[in-house]
Amino acid sequence: MSRTVSTEAGAGDRSPAATSSKLSRRTLFAGAGTVGALAAAASLVPAAGEVAPEPVVAQDPPERGGGYSLSEHVKRYYRTTRL
């Protein structure tokens, strides 16, 4: 029992250059140039400053308890429950 092995040119050639996508040097350098231009432009853009939130002013508690208030949120809820 003997096996015959095919020795055709390219039959066993699986080098990275033969199997990679068609990426030319021109495309590679154009992409690198684009990335460089974007990095340069990003360095020129001023950084957005942090905006400090306005402090929330706490309201004084009502004198007679009053835990319930008819706020806009509550009014909207009541409108959704009407038939």
Side-chain angles (χ1 to χ4, degrees):
M1 284 205 236
S2 66
R3 284 191 175 174
T4 58
V5 178
S6 173
T7 57
E8 295 177 17
D13 186 23
R14 294 286 180 181
S15 66
T19 60
S20 67
S21 64
K22 299 201 182 219
L23 180 66
S24 68
R25 289 177 63 189
R26 182 179 297 173
T27 305
L28 180 68
F29 285 120
T34 303
V35 170
L38 288 174
S43 69
L44 296 176
V45 175
E50 292 185 30
V51 178
E54 295 181 17
V56 178
V57 178
Q59 297 178 350
D60 294 331
E63 293 179 12
R64 292 193 265 165
Y68 177 82
S69 64
L70 191 60
S71 65
E72 284 300 316
H73 179 266
V74 173
K75 289 177 186 177
R76 191 176 330 128
Y77 171 74
Y78 286 148
R79 281 194 299 266
T80 62
T81 59
R82 290 185 186 160
L83 294 176

